[in-house]
Amino acid sequence: MFRKVLIANRGEIALRVICACKDLGIQTVAVYSEADRHSLHARFADEAICIGPAKSTRSYLDIPSVISAAEITDSEAIHPGYGFLSENSEFAEVCDACNVKFIGPTAAVIRRMGMKHEARRAMQEAGIPILPGSEGTLKSTEEGLEIAHSIGFPIMIKATAGGGGRGMRVVRDASEFGPMLAQAQNEAAAAFGCGDMYIEKLVERPRHIEFQVLADEHGNVEILGERECSIQRRHQKLIEESPSPAVSPELRRRIGDGLKVAMKAIGYTNAGTVEFLMDEDGSLSFMEVNARVQVEHPVTEFVTGVDLVKSQIRIAAGQPLSEVLPANIEMRGHAIECRINAEHPETFAPSPGRITGWNLPGGIGVRVDTAAHADCIVPPYYDSLIAKLITYGGDRTEAIARMRRALDLFIIEGIHSSIPLHQRILAHPEFVAGNLDTSFLARTKLACSK
Amino acid sequence: MFRKVLIANRGEIALRVICACKDLGIQTVAVYSEADRHSLHARFADEAICIGPAKSTRSYLDIPSVISAAEITDSEAIHPGYGFLSENSEFAEVCDACNVKFIGPTAAVIRRMGMKHEARRAMQEAGIPILPGSEGTLKSTEEGLEIAHSIGFPIMIKATAGGGGRGMRVVRDASEFGPMLAQAQNEAAAAFGCGDMYIEKLVERPRHIEFQVLADEHGNVEILGERECSIQRRHQKLIEESPSPAVSPELRRRIGDGLKVAMKAIGYTNAGTVEFLMDEDGSLSFMEVNARVQVEHPVTEFVTGVDLVKSQIRIAAGQPLSEVLPANIEMRGHAIECRINAEHPETFAPSPGRITGWNLPGGIGVRVDTAAHADCIVPPYYDSLIAKLITYGGDRTEAIARMRRALDLFIIEGIHSSIPLHQRILAHPEFVAGNLDTSFLARTKLACSK
Amino acid sequence: MSAATTARPKARKRAPANPDMTIEEIKELLAVFNESGVAELDVQRGDNRVRIKRSSGVTHEVIAPAPAPVATHNASNAAMHGGSYQIAPPSSGAEEPMASARPLVDENSEMVRSPIVGTFYDSASPGSPPFVKIGDRVDVGAVLCIIESMKLMNEIESEVAGTIVARLVENGRPVEYGEALFAVRPR
Amino acid sequence: MSAATTARPKARKRAPANPDMTIEEIKELLAVFNESGVAELDVQRGDNRVRIKRSSGVTHEVIAPAPAPVATHNASNAAMHGGSYQIAPPSSGAEEPMASARPLVDENSEMVRSPIVGTFYDSASPGSPPFVKIGDRVDVGAVLCIIESMKLMNEIESEVAGTIVARLVENGRPVEYGEALFAVRPR
């Protein structure tokens, strides 16, 4: 096992990794920007190194600074968390070159999964259902239009390097195809430095369902059930749960078996998430692979009893899944996560500032992952997630009741938070009934989708 | 189900009951003393009534005030929590007379369990092992001395109405018997208004092990495993866990089966705890029944998945256990609770005052039950428990690792707390090995036992 | 029952973290400022802030801390009478609970507060005239109202001799321990 | 690299609970302000803040340091050299990071801070003489030390011309981003 791990991240996920390391008896090194000088991840790590100014390109995203911090502290491994450098294959490569273990998949796998059309091909080869679309990237507008006609409008134009909705366009009519493609291409080229595009059939009002993968470095793969993440606003997940109300045990087993084959074929290692869309008939189609720990991993931890972050570290240390996981993993009960953001619950305007009043909900069935506290400052430089509120119950009804109660007892003063929006969603009959899809917020008028 | 429940308590247990009510969709009424005007239980209840000044005899212990509060708010039931009026049979009687459902056993059962020698007799009749001792109360010093001789010194003299160590004496030599009995009698008469005494064989260095009972109002009884509460200081529990490292599945089943018979014979209803001593041979002997929810109930909730407070309310509303509990309850994993007290970790001097800095630990496997928060005042009038920190793990080792981590991340500033003591206990090899008994703190020199 | 014996049952304002700046301190600041010859002085202490500006012989601007949230207290009283039992936020600390009723009545009047939880009745039985009306003069021991608690009718007597200047609870309403019932101006 | 560009990397003492500023202290501040000839003075200490402005006049801006924490900084530096990277508690709020080195050196000196994370070397190779010693006069662009980062030796140059008045890191020690390396009194 590693003696010392550096956590190349901030906020709740940095604290989450510190907890996992403490539970394993591993020493921790935090890195922080000048804006995070007083943050809890810097406080609770055994060592903490300032790596740059507030701007993340000069601190959390700056590979030489992070690697140097690992070197001067003699860290044996780096956990990248999510976001920042977590899916940066170059970073994974530099770690290798510097003899620091990157806790995640290999650089080659990260790169391949980052090229969406490549991941799509890999899944298709392993028999995982994918959406009708182009094979590989588009060579020309004409070829694209032809493919679009053959699968039928509406379609999605997507950037192979895309993410967060950028470089993505819905095209409902052939006449829009040319201009939309050009727009998306420009956007992708500007955002990702790569204008390669591909086409997929559009699923209207899909459910977003994703499967949790753990793979060791000895060729073993396990699937830890699925999460439903259909409550989104502008491709940003707001609420996630496990299991999905729409996935039957039979479907879960079938997709899980397919993914075991696929991920093994890809040579996948460590934790990852395979995202699917579910159409109105209940069919799943592959969307993409997230080659890192997911924000919403706690719901899976609640229902499986498996500590995913601890598992990541143990896998990276070379342990086989047979040691990392219990003999048989059964999903038990139901878990829901609300992402509590520092933003106005109606306008969604970011709301950084000082938290003047703060009461965390506790009690039975409640877990909170946060690095915020009374009198802390939420800096304006990073993402707005300030806490993850996760509840567990024997069934979905109990998990919902506990989430409502926990939201009522969660006090945040001094800044705006998304708690009022979460309260409205949790009280909505459609949510309670499990009638979810990615248009939920728009069609229920709980928030504009734009 | 009840429409509205009044909670006749304060602090974390009042908030715990409010959470259970919210989870059941029941309206809540808090009562509070003037010292608790700004407390969270008053804030988070749907209604809150001031029932008197800080002194608990004039507020939380004042039956007319509590009953009047129930009447003016049209509350249908009262949950007494633990302490205060929870084992006061007169209060249960007044509730009955006022047509307010008392959430607990009947007044008659509370009274009988409160007379220790009566409870002892009831258990003996049902075949539960009891310590050698007197049958009923002592008639005279001579009779007592005779009994003491027959069972052999050392022995315990105990008050039938006793509790918290008062009216209790260890006698190691016949010559001490007379004076000790007189002392204990005087103490008991002063403290409880009753000087009746009985004798039990002394178990040196016992483990304290207790079984959780749930009984409905239709004659059904279930036992939800045991808790070990051997880490004590002056008869005050500091750390509890479930399951006990010293109870085998066979012993658990045998005692459980016996208790089902005993509690049914007693006519016990609602939640209760049967306390045992375990001697060095691993034999259990009955000690007493606590006719209420226990401070340490969360460890049982973690390992059984059963919400005990919700169960109490549903049982009081007349539901049979077959509806309240899942078909088969299995104990899974391991849970530990640390009682975080506002007291100096070495001198044990109470430390009321304003909490200026406060960070609650969260993350995987951690539950916190507390009514404290940043910038709150811990009043000097009530007991010093400010938070219960409970961790869960797949096994005892994981639960311990998580507890250590959670203690490290729990920040309390402005007042002293028992956290440093808990950290020392959790790090002690004897604790880690599960070598526990009630002399643990004294023999490990972690705290003087006096 | 004197006004000082029991505290207000409902307060909802958050307390300042720092003790309020006194008038004396502000006066002293002004003196210091005048001697100093600087153009502007801005002192912040927690919620309190004082800004003093010189602009070529014009006035000194003083933003003193609001000493008495009168409006808040009225709002609080209104909420109380509306039967709401909502409580102050968790972080509100030490407060001067007695300040609350002041705006309603004269500085010198005292509050008669309920010594028990129960239901307020202004007369001995339905239909009979109330024990006291606003403007009545009462002696020590005069019955002011009844609080029913556990089927018992408890007569509440005045502990001061004086004039009833306000009544704060409607007939038949529930009252908490310490809730203000009447204001009496002592004579 | 100017003294104002980067902040102190390590502080380990818990910020004091912010005793309120007294009138005496404000008076003293005013006196200091008047002597100084600056146009505006802004002092923040936790919740307390004092801003003083002069009506006319120009000159440069002064960031008034909290005068107190000399001991803290020495302790902090010692700890830092001991290799500990523990950080300030969460509740410590706004601090004046620049104040840290002031007590060590003259008011007018500037800190040369590390622009990168790495290992500090005072000479070009083991055994060779250090680039600079205390008391040396340096010009803009003079190499002061090397910070090794990812096997690369980065020469750190002086951005001011002046005299080396302090050296703050031992040879071969790791340094954070923004950590003070030398103090230079400009000429």
Side-chain angles (χ1 to χ4, degrees):
Chain A
M1 184 48 65
F2 307 115
R3 196 182 44 78
K4 197 190 270 189
V5 169
L6 182 143
I7 298 104
N9 216 302
R10 63 178 301 281
E12 69 85 19
I13 191 64
L15 209 51
R16 171 70 188 89
V17 179
I18 288 172
C19 287
C21 289
K22 278 179 175 280
D23 292 355
L24 287 166
I26 298 171
Q27 286 201 287
T28 50
V29 178
V31 295
Y32 64 92
S33 75
E34 289 184 319
D36 285 336
R37 187 171 301 283
H38 303 298
S39 64
L40 290 189
H41 80 281
R43 177 177 175 143
F44 288 127
D46 296 303
E47 299 172 59
I49 307 286
C50 181
I51 52 164
K55 204 169 153 53
S56 49
T57 48
R58 292 194 50 209
S59 49
Y60 297 110
L61 286 169
D62 187 57
I63 295 177
S65 294
V66 173
I67 295 287
S68 293
E71 285 183 341
I72 66 171
T73 55
D74 288 326
S75 298
E76 293 167 13
I78 294 181
H79 195 300
Y82 53 72
F84 292 134
L85 296 171
S86 62
E87 291 178 286
N88 184 318
S89 57
E90 187 198 332
F91 180 61
E93 249 161 27
V94 176
C95 285
D96 283 353
C98 295
N99 277 320
V100 177
K101 177 73 183 181
F102 176 82
I103 301 176
T106 61
V109 166
I110 294 174
R111 184 172 298 114
R112 189 164 176 215
M113 295 300 104
M115 290 184 288
K116 310 295 179 191
H117 67 291
E118 279 284 332
R120 198 173 131 87
R121 177 153 38 206
M123 286 294 160
Q124 190 176 24
E125 283 167 12
I128 299 294
I130 62 168
L131 287 172
S134 55
E135 282 182 37
T137 58
L138 299 185
K139 311 275 178 306
S140 67
T141 309
E142 292 68 36
E143 186 207 2
L145 194 55
E146 200 173 299
I147 294 167
H149 272 302
S150 76
I151 62 178
F153 287 93
I155 57 103
M156 291 276 277
I157 301 174
K158 286 177 153 184
T160 61
R166 279 176 302 178
M168 201 158 91
R169 287 292 183 286
V170 171
V171 186
R172 297 187 177 278
D173 190 278
S175 66
E176 294 171 324
F177 186 85
M180 288 289 209
L181 178 62
Q183 273 179 35
Q185 236 161 351
N186 289 339
E187 202 171 287
F192 315 113
C194 166
D196 286 352
M197 311 300 289
Y198 67 106
I199 288 178
E200 266 180 7
K201 175 123 192 85
L202 176 74
V203 180
E204 307 260 19
R205 300 190 169 192
R207 284 175 179 259
H208 176 117
I209 288 167
E210 60 186 31
F211 284 75
Q212 176 66 48
V213 178
L214 279 182
D216 66 19
E217 302 188 345
H218 312 281
N220 305 298
V221 180
E222 281 295 338
I223 312 298
L224 282 80
E226 81 288 353
R227 296 180 286 261
E228 169 145 11
C229 318
S230 299
I231 307 295
Q232 305 185 349
R233 181 190 156 270
R234 303 185 76 174
H235 304 284
Q236 297 295 314
K237 298 167 187 167
L238 269 176
I239 297 180
E240 304 97 347
E241 59 188 287
S242 182
S244 162
V247 172
S248 66
E250 198 280 323
L251 178 60
R252 180 176 306 126
R253 193 173 47 248
R254 186 155 49 81
I255 297 289
D257 288 347
L259 285 177
K260 278 193 194 181
V261 175
M263 299 307 265
K264 186 164 181 167
I266 287 166
Y268 200 93
T269 51
N270 217 283
T273 294
V274 186
E275 297 192 331
F276 290 82
L277 294 182
M278 181 184 269
D279 66 20
E280 288 176 8
D281 301 335
S283 306
L284 290 175
S285 300
F286 168 77
M287 192 162 44
E288 66 181 54
V289 173
N290 293 325
R292 51 164 163 83
V293 71
Q294 206 86 333
V295 176
E296 58 270 22
H297 73 277
V299 296
T300 299
E301 294 186 322
F302 250 140
V303 297
T304 61
V306 172
D307 187 323
L308 289 172
V309 179
K310 237 161 80 171
S311 300
Q312 283 191 291
I313 298 169
R314 295 174 67 182
I315 287 170
Q319 294 186 12
L321 280 188
S322 56
E323 280 177 28
V324 172
L325 298 178
N328 59 334
I329 300 160
E330 45 164 338
M331 290 180 78
R332 190 159 93 156
H334 198 98
I336 303 179
E337 171 180 288
C338 286
R339 297 192 189 187
I340 312 298
N341 296 322
E343 63 188 18
H344 193 285
E346 268 127 46
T347 65
F348 295 96
S351 183
R354 183 180 291 273
I355 294 178
T356 55
W358 179 256
N359 182 62
L360 278 189
I364 190 167
V366 176
R367 166 178 171 184
V368 185
D369 279 25
T370 185
H373 54 86
D375 213 34
C376 78
I377 286 170
V378 179
Y381 312 108
Y382 313 109
D383 96 49
S384 63
L385 181 72
I386 47 171
K388 302 190 312 204
L389 177 59
I390 310 109
T391 60
Y392 175 80
D395 54 27
R396 191 167 186 267
T397 305
E398 191 172 53
I400 289 175
R402 287 175 174 169
M403 180 58 82
R404 284 187 189 158
R405 174 248 296 176
L407 287 166
D408 286 353
L409 267 57
F410 201 153
I411 307 287
I412 302 178
E413 288 165 355
I415 60 169
H416 290 292
S417 88
S418 48
I419 289 174
L421 174 61
H422 287 297
Q423 288 174 314
R424 289 197 295 274
I425 297 170
L426 267 288
H428 199 284
E430 291 277 298
F431 181 86
V432 173
N435 296 330
L436 314 177
D437 61 68
T438 55
S439 73
F440 179 88
L441 286 186
R443 68 181 162 85
T444 56
K445 309 262 192 308
L446 289 174
C448 60
S449 69
K450 225 347 237 179
Chain B
M1 186 46 67
F2 307 115
R3 196 181 43 77
K4 196 190 271 189
V5 169
L6 182 142
I7 298 102
N9 216 303
R10 63 179 300 282
E12 69 84 19
I13 192 63
L15 209 51
R16 170 72 189 89
V17 178
I18 289 172
C19 287
C21 289
K22 279 181 175 277
D23 292 355
L24 287 166
I26 297 170
Q27 286 200 286
T28 51
V29 178
V31 296
Y32 63 93
S33 75
E34 289 183 321
D36 285 335
R37 186 171 302 284
H38 303 298
S39 64
L40 290 188
H41 80 281
R43 175 177 175 145
F44 289 127
D46 296 303
E47 298 172 62
I49 308 285
C50 181
I51 53 164
K55 205 170 150 52
S56 50
T57 49
R58 292 193 54 208
S59 49
Y60 297 110
L61 285 168
D62 187 57
I63 296 178
S65 293
V66 173
I67 295 287
S68 293
E71 285 183 339
I72 66 171
T73 55
D74 288 326
S75 299
E76 293 166 14
I78 294 181
H79 195 300
Y82 53 71
F84 291 134
L85 297 170
S86 62
E87 291 179 286
N88 183 319
S89 59
E90 187 199 333
F91 179 62
E93 249 160 26
V94 176
C95 285
D96 283 354
C98 296
N99 278 319
V100 177
K101 177 72 183 183
F102 176 80
I103 300 175
T106 61
V109 165
I110 293 173
R111 184 172 299 112
R112 191 166 175 213
M113 295 299 105
M115 291 182 291
K116 309 296 178 193
H117 66 294
E118 279 283 332
R120 198 172 130 88
R121 176 150 42 204
M123 286 295 159
Q124 190 176 25
E125 282 168 12
I128 300 293
I130 62 169
L131 287 172
S134 56
E135 283 183 38
T137 58
L138 300 184
K139 311 277 178 305
S140 66
T141 309
E142 292 67 37
E143 186 205 2
L145 194 54
E146 200 173 303
I147 294 167
H149 271 301
S150 76
I151 60 178
F153 288 95
I155 57 102
M156 291 275 277
I157 302 175
K158 286 177 153 185
T160 63
R166 280 175 302 177
M168 202 159 91
R169 287 293 182 286
V170 172
V171 185
R172 298 190 176 275
D173 190 280
S175 66
E176 294 170 326
F177 186 84
M180 288 288 208
L181 177 63
Q183 273 179 31
Q185 238 163 349
N186 290 339
E187 201 172 287
F192 316 114
C194 167
D196 287 352
M197 311 302 288
Y198 66 106
I199 289 177
E200 267 180 7
K201 174 126 193 84
L202 176 73
V203 180
E204 308 258 21
R205 299 191 168 193
R207 284 174 179 260
H208 176 117
I209 289 167
E210 59 186 31
F211 284 74
Q212 176 65 50
V213 177
L214 279 183
D216 66 18
E217 302 188 345
H218 312 283
N220 306 298
V221 180
E222 284 293 341
I223 312 298
L224 282 80
E226 81 289 350
R227 295 180 285 262
E228 169 145 12
C229 317
S230 299
I231 308 294
Q232 303 185 351
R233 182 190 155 268
R234 304 184 75 173
H235 304 284
Q236 297 295 315
K237 297 167 187 167
L238 269 176
I239 297 181
E240 303 98 348
E241 59 188 288
S242 184
S244 162
V247 173
S248 65
E250 198 281 322
L251 178 60
R252 180 176 305 125
R253 191 173 49 247
R254 186 156 50 81
I255 296 289
D257 288 348
L259 286 177
K260 277 193 194 183
V261 175
M263 299 307 264
K264 187 163 181 168
I266 288 165
Y268 200 93
T269 52
N270 217 284
T273 295
V274 186
E275 296 191 330
F276 290 83
L277 294 181
M278 181 183 269
D279 65 19
E280 288 176 10
D281 301 334
S283 306
L284 290 174
S285 300
F286 168 77
M287 192 165 42
E288 66 180 55
V289 174
N290 293 326
R292 50 165 163 84
V293 72
Q294 206 87 332
V295 176
E296 58 271 23
H297 74 277
V299 295
T300 299
E301 295 186 323
F302 250 140
V303 296
T304 61
V306 172
D307 186 323
L308 289 172
V309 180
K310 237 162 81 172
S311 300
Q312 284 191 292
I313 299 169
R314 295 175 67 181
I315 287 169
Q319 294 185 11
L321 281 188
S322 56
E323 280 176 29
V324 171
L325 298 178
N328 59 333
I329 300 161
E330 44 164 339
M331 290 180 79
R332 191 158 92 154
H334 198 97
I336 302 179
E337 173 181 285
C338 285
R339 297 193 190 188
I340 312 298
N341 296 322
E343 63 188 19
H344 193 283
E346 269 129 44
T347 65
F348 297 96
S351 183
R354 181 180 292 274
I355 293 177
T356 55
W358 180 256
N359 182 63
L360 278 189
I364 190 165
V366 175
R367 167 177 170 184
V368 186
D369 278 27
T370 185
H373 53 85
D375 214 34
C376 80
I377 287 169
V378 179
Y381 313 108
Y382 312 110
D383 97 49
S384 63
L385 181 73
I386 47 170
K388 300 189 314 205
L389 177 59
I390 310 108
T391 59
Y392 176 81
D395 54 25
R396 191 167 186 267
T397 305
E398 190 172 54
I400 289 175
R402 286 174 174 170
M403 180 59 83
R404 284 189 190 157
R405 174 247 296 176
L407 288 166
D408 285 352
L409 268 56
F410 201 152
I411 306 287
I412 303 179
E413 289 164 355
I415 60 170
H416 290 291
S417 87
S418 49
I419 288 174
L421 175 60
H422 287 296
Q423 288 173 316
R424 287 196 296 272
I425 297 170
L426 267 288
H428 199 284
E430 292 277 298
F431 182 86
V432 173
N435 295 332
L436 314 177
D437 62 68
T438 56
S439 73
F440 179 89
L441 286 186
R443 69 179 161 88
T444 58
K445 309 264 192 308
L446 289 174
C448 60
S449 70
K450 231 335 238 180
Chain C
M1 171 168 302
S2 107
T5 51
T6 50
R8 274 210 69 249
K10 288 141 201 159
R12 11 174 56 217
K13 239 319 185 47
R14 117 177 303 249
N18 305 45
D20 279 341
M21 246 179 229
T22 63
I23 292 289
E24 280 315 304
E25 284 175 291
I26 295 168
K27 269 190 198 163
E28 229 178 305
L29 268 182
L30 275 172
V32 168
F33 174 80
N34 278 333
E35 279 170 39
S36 74
V38 299
E40 192 173 333
L41 179 65
D42 185 336
V43 177
Q44 176 142 21
R45 208 163 72 195
D47 287 348
N48 296 278
R49 182 174 179 173
V50 177
R51 246 175 76 207
I52 313 173
K53 246 189 198 167
R54 201 190 308 278
S55 35
S56 52
V58 202
T59 48
H60 305 314
E61 180 189 356
V62 175
I63 308 167
V70 176
T72 309
H73 291 132
N74 284 340
S76 170
N77 278 319
M80 180 169 70
H81 293 148
S84 158
Y85 293 94
Q86 208 188 332
I87 216 63
S91 43
S92 67
E95 275 178 57
E96 196 48 75
M98 287 312 302
S100 55
R102 284 288 150 76
L104 291 177
V105 293
D106 178 87
E107 286 275 310
N108 297 313
S109 55
E110 286 188 16
M111 286 294 152
V112 176
R113 294 171 184 279
S114 178
I116 49 172
V117 180
T119 306
F120 173 93
Y121 295 110
D122 64 359
S123 63
S125 57
S128 54
F131 293 110
V132 291
K133 298 187 302 297
I134 291 164
D136 282 2
R137 297 184 60 139
V138 293
D139 291 323
V140 172
V143 175
L144 303 180
C145 62
I146 282 171
I147 306 290
E148 181 191 352
S149 175
M150 299 188 73
K151 319 291 176 220
L152 283 179
M153 298 298 171
N154 303 279
E155 292 186 340
I156 307 302
E157 299 177 353
S158 184
E159 295 196 344
V160 287
T163 307
I164 305 286
V165 292
R167 167 179 157 169
L168 299 150
V169 183
E170 283 307 308
N171 199 34
R173 299 283 322 167
V175 292
E176 298 184 307
Y177 172 82
E179 187 159 345
L181 307 173
F182 295 96
V184 180
R185 189 185 309 121
R187 64 167 172 264
Chain D
M1 172 169 302
S2 112
T5 50
T6 50
R8 271 210 73 247
K10 287 147 202 152
R12 26 173 36 223
K13 247 315 187 49
R14 128 149 302 250
N18 289 321
D20 280 338
M21 243 179 232
T22 62
I23 291 287
E24 280 316 305
E25 285 175 290
I26 294 168
K27 267 191 202 165
E28 234 178 298
L29 271 180
L30 276 170
V32 168
F33 174 81
N34 277 334
E35 277 170 40
S36 72
V38 299
E40 192 174 335
L41 179 64
D42 189 337
V43 177
Q44 176 139 23
R45 206 166 70 198
D47 286 349
N48 296 280
R49 182 173 180 170
V50 176
R51 251 175 70 208
I52 312 172
K53 249 190 198 166
R54 202 188 305 280
S55 45
S56 60
V58 244
T59 65
H60 36 271
E61 190 182 331
V62 168
I63 304 163
V70 176
T72 308
H73 291 131
N74 286 339
S76 170
N77 278 319
M80 182 167 69
H81 293 147
S84 162
Y85 293 94
Q86 207 186 335
I87 214 64
S91 44
S92 67
E95 271 177 58
E96 197 50 73
M98 287 311 304
S100 55
R102 283 287 150 77
L104 292 177
V105 294
D106 178 88
E107 284 278 307
N108 297 313
S109 57
E110 286 187 16
M111 285 296 151
V112 176
R113 291 170 186 281
S114 178
I116 49 173
V117 179
T119 305
F120 174 93
Y121 294 110
D122 63 0
S123 62
S125 57
S128 53
F131 293 110
V132 289
K133 299 186 302 297
I134 291 165
D136 283 1
R137 296 184 59 140
V138 292
D139 290 322
V140 172
V143 174
L144 303 180
C145 63
I146 281 172
I147 306 290
E148 181 190 353
S149 177
M150 299 186 74
K151 320 288 177 223
L152 282 180
M153 298 298 171
N154 303 279
E155 292 186 341
I156 307 301
E157 299 177 354
S158 184
E159 294 196 346
V160 287
T163 306
I164 304 287
V165 292
R167 166 180 156 167
L168 300 150
V169 183
E170 284 307 308
N171 198 33
R173 298 289 318 168
V175 292
E176 298 185 306
Y177 171 82
E179 188 160 344
L181 307 174
F182 295 96
V184 180
R185 187 184 311 120
R187 64 167 173 267

